[in-house]
Amino acid sequence: MSVAVMTANPTAKPAPEFRAGGTDFSERRRSGVSQGMPIDITATGDKTITWDANGAARIGALTTIAMVATDARIAAAYPGVVASAQGLATPQVRHVATLGGNLAQRSRCWYFRRADIDCLKKGGSTCPARSGNHLYGVAFDLGDCVAPHPSTMAAALLAYDATITTDRRSGLTIAGLLGDGSVAHADHTLAAGEMIKSVALPAPLEGERASYRRAISRTYAEWPLVELCARVVIAGGRFQLVRLAAGGVAPVPLRLTAVEAQLSGRIVDAASIAEAAKAASAGAKPLPMTAYKLDLLQGLVRDLLERLSD
């Protein structure tokens, strides 16, 4: 987990950074991108999962991804969250990576990860990926930075309308935590020294189904090209609720509201799903190299909704 704020002043002292599981922090330290004093929070952070009387869960920020992925009660209440956690990284990473750290991680863009290259997130004036190799960049161009947000769990929590509590604020939505994608210099809205404390999920809906799928370039240990968490409630042969949140396609996770609106109240069949899936690219502005992501996104929407409708 890191809440350091990059500065354009090369003489400024690097801001301190929190270290939890360290899967992102350690990598940035090795590459020289991160140079702030580490503050280890593993002994003091919240690693608990608690439930209220309505069956709503609250997950501490230092809960590991593996704990989320293997918790039977979370799987029953929030199957999309568990499926997303299970698809993330490798078993080794999941056992040390934390939920809060996954939400607060920095960009995975290879230009950002090179200490000798300036970019907007490191105080530079341009995005080198925009004019360079952006094959894995955004298909929804929302701001000056064209790197997709790397958090799988953020997309899942967006689909579930989760809220975030920090040591300074409460009731933050995923959009409130990560912004709208227009602010190029930051991966989140956390202030320097602000720490994510917990994530709250609303009580599950009766009859709800949910799952997660990703499109990747190899079968194991790969960042997704496109990923999707979906929730549905079906009654009387019709979609009563559809929630779709996509990752890998924009600077922030995106709700596919056009698809949701098109399927609301519609008969559950392959034709309705295929027609609605075409709306997944509504509002997209792909880069020269990223139009392929829209085809992947439409395919994931169709495939996942068909699976949840069986």
Side-chain angles (χ1 to χ4, degrees):
M1 180 188 300
S2 167
V3 295
V5 176
M6 305 304 293
T7 174
N9 182 356
T11 64
K13 185 177 180 179
E17 297 183 75
F18 295 128
R19 184 192 183 282
T23 55
D24 181 21
F25 178 81
S26 298
E27 181 182 326
R28 287 185 283 106
R29 298 289 281 192
R30 286 193 299 269
S31 67
V33 171
S34 176
Q35 299 179 0
M37 181 183 70
I39 301 174
D40 195 297
I41 59 174
T42 54
T44 58
D46 187 350
K47 304 175 184 178
T48 63
I49 301 172
T50 58
W51 300 83
D52 69 13
N54 297 318
R58 178 194 154 281
I59 307 174
L62 259 66
T63 303
T64 66
I65 301 300
M67 291 171 65
V68 174
T70 58
D71 189 284
R73 189 168 179 182
I74 296 180
Y78 310 107
V81 171
V82 166
S84 299
Q86 291 172 342
L88 193 157
T90 65
Q92 294 88 344
V93 170
R94 291 194 292 271
H95 274 84
V96 294
T98 64
L99 180 58
N102 188 268
L103 295 175
Q105 66 184 297
R106 300 302 311 272
S107 173
R108 297 289 170 167
C109 173
W110 47 42
Y111 293 101
F112 171 76
R113 294 281 163 164
R114 282 284 301 269
D116 58 337
I117 296 179
D118 270 342
C119 77
L120 294 166
K121 292 190 187 301
K122 293 185 286 188
S125 59
T126 61
C127 173
R130 184 176 288 278
S131 57
N133 188 334
H134 52 253
L135 182 63
Y136 302 125
V138 301
F140 290 76
D141 191 359
L142 305 180
D144 293 333
C145 175
V146 300
H149 198 277
S151 176
T152 290
M153 299 312 298
L157 295 174
L158 177 64
Y160 277 91
D161 299 314
T163 57
I164 314 298
T165 296
T166 75
D167 57 352
R168 305 181 190 182
R169 296 178 286 173
S170 61
L172 278 174
T173 62
I174 293 297
L177 176 69
L178 302 181
D180 62 3
S182 64
V183 180
H185 71 272
D187 291 303
H188 47 65
T189 68
L190 295 170
E194 185 176 11
M195 185 191 307
I196 297 174
K197 302 294 285 185
S198 63
V199 174
L201 289 153
L205 302 175
E206 184 177 355
E208 177 181 334
R209 309 173 189 178
S211 194
Y212 164 86
R213 287 186 69 80
R214 55 170 48 191
I216 53 179
S217 58
R218 61 184 183 184
T219 57
Y220 192 63
E222 183 64 285
W223 294 96
L225 301 170
V226 181
E227 57 188 338
L228 183 72
C229 183
R231 300 168 60 208
V232 300
V233 174
I234 297 172
R238 294 181 181 271
F239 286 108
Q240 301 301 316
L241 175 136
V242 179
R243 293 288 183 269
L244 301 168
V249 294
V252 291
L254 286 185
R255 276 276 301 278
L256 303 182
T257 54
V259 181
E260 295 172 359
Q262 192 162 330
L263 283 176
S264 180
R266 292 285 297 274
I267 293 175
V268 178
D269 59 22
S272 295
I273 292 171
E275 180 184 347
K278 297 176 183 177
S281 57
K285 293 189 290 184
L287 305 171
M289 298 180 183
T290 62
Y292 75 95
K293 287 195 171 189
L294 299 178
D295 293 331
L296 293 176
L297 180 60
Q298 291 182 17
L300 283 182
V301 169
R302 186 172 61 252
D303 183 45
L304 194 47
L305 289 176
E306 287 178 351
R307 289 170 182 266
L308 290 173
S309 301
D310 288 342

